[in-house]
């Protein structure tokens, strides 16, 4: 499954990214020499964010123009990728609906099984079990139940032997 596109960055995001890189390169190590886990060890994020946001507030519109242009380009990228992603999602949903429709249109297994079970529970009533569009496993089960009805003297071991010799016998389903 393809992932949803990343949201576009704003002019401030681009500014923050550039300033962070510059700060991390030019700042000396943290006082005391202790480095927190999973950190670059030079400056805490809260301190860095306060410093960079103060710098952003001091920038002029002319200084922000190239960053706003980058943000506009990133927004266009996002819109293109999002349109493509939405199209893929629609196609996936349509495919899923078609598959569900196909499974709904397939014959119900419960009809054949309930007929076979009714016959099994009432063996004194002779009935013909006919199922159309059934799976091989259902056919084998129907055959076994029909044989039980036809020859009530057949033992359960003989029925199992008949099933084991069928094409589905011995396979786990």
């Amino acid at each position: 499954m393809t992932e949803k596109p990343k949201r576009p960055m704003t002019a401030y995001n681009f500014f923050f990214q550039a300033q962070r890189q510059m700060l991390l390169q030019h700042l000396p190590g943290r006082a005391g020499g202790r480095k927190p886990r999973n950190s670059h060890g030079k400056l805490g994020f809260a301190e860095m964010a306060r410093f960079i946001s103060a710098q952003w507030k001091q920038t002029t519109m002319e200084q922000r123009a190239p960053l706003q242009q980058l943000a506009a380009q990133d927004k266009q990228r996002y819109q293109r990728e999002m349109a493509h992603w939405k199209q893929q999602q629609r196609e996936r949903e349509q495919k899923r609906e078609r598959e569900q429709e196909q499974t709904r249109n397939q014959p119900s297994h419960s009809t054949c099984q309930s007929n076979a079970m009714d016959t099994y529970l009432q063996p004194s009533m002779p009935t013909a079990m006919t199922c159309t569009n059934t799976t091989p496993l259902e056919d084998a089960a129907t055959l076994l139940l029909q044989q039980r009805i036809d020859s009530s003297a057949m033992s359960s071991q003989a029925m199992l032997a008949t099933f084991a010799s069928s094409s589905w016998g011995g396979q786990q389903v």
Side-chain angles (χ1 to χ4, degrees), residues 30-85:
R30 192 174 260 202
R34 286 189 9 205
K35 181 179 174 183
R37 256 186 288 169
N38 300 325
S39 170
H40 47 76
K42 295 181 179 181
L43 184 65
F45 184 79
E47 295 173 69
M48 181 174 32
R50 279 192 289 274
F51 180 75
I52 294 174
S53 68
Q55 285 184 325
W56 176 255
K57 290 176 186 175
Q58 294 174 358
T59 59
T60 63
M61 293 305 280
E62 293 83 33
Q63 292 171 326
R64 291 182 185 185
L67 298 170
Q68 290 171 338
Q69 188 176 14
L70 282 174
Q73 290 173 354
D74 198 39
K75 185 176 181 180
Q76 290 173 349
R77 176 222 31 106
Y78 174 74
Q79 289 171 342
R80 278 191 316 272
E81 289 178 4
M82 194 63 173
H84 178 70
W85 182 78

Side-chain angles (χ1 to χ4, degrees), residues 21-151:
Q21 285 291 355
M22 191 172 63
L23 279 173
L24 294 178
Q25 289 175 358
H26 292 91
L27 285 177
R30 192 174 260 202
R34 286 189 9 205
K35 181 179 174 183
R37 256 186 288 169
N38 300 325
S39 170
H40 47 76
K42 295 181 179 181
L43 184 65
F45 184 79
E47 295 173 69
M48 181 174 32
R50 279 192 289 274
F51 180 75
I52 294 174
S53 68
Q55 285 184 325
W56 176 255
K57 290 176 186 175
Q58 294 174 358
T59 59
T60 63
M61 293 305 280
E62 293 83 33
Q63 292 171 326
R64 291 182 185 185
L67 298 170
Q68 290 171 338
Q69 188 176 14
L70 282 174
Q73 290 173 354
D74 198 39
K75 185 176 181 180
Q76 290 173 349
R77 176 222 31 106
Y78 174 74
Q79 289 171 342
R80 278 191 316 272
E81 289 178 4
M82 194 63 173
H84 178 70
W85 182 78
K86 284 182 179 180
Q87 178 63 30
Q88 285 179 331
Q89 294 300 101
R90 280 191 294 272
E91 290 171 0
R92 228 179 245 121
E93 182 63 28
Q94 290 170 352
K95 181 180 176 185
R96 189 177 317 128
E97 287 174 2
R98 282 192 306 268
E99 288 171 354
Q100 287 176 350
E101 187 64 31
Q102 287 175 352
T103 58
R104 276 189 231 124
N105 290 339
Q106 290 179 353
S108 172
H109 300 301
S110 61
T111 306
C112 293
Q113 290 174 351
S114 66
N115 290 344
M117 189 54 76
D118 290 344
T119 305
Y120 180 76
L121 293 175
Q122 300 172 355
S124 61
M125 296 181 62
T127 37
M129 295 195 306
T130 56
C131 296
T132 57
N133 298 325
T134 59
T135 65
L137 181 59
E138 290 174 331
D139 291 339
T142 303
L143 175 68
L144 285 174
L145 289 173
Q146 187 66 45
Q147 287 175 352
R148 186 196 182 291
I149 293 167
D150 291 344
S151 61

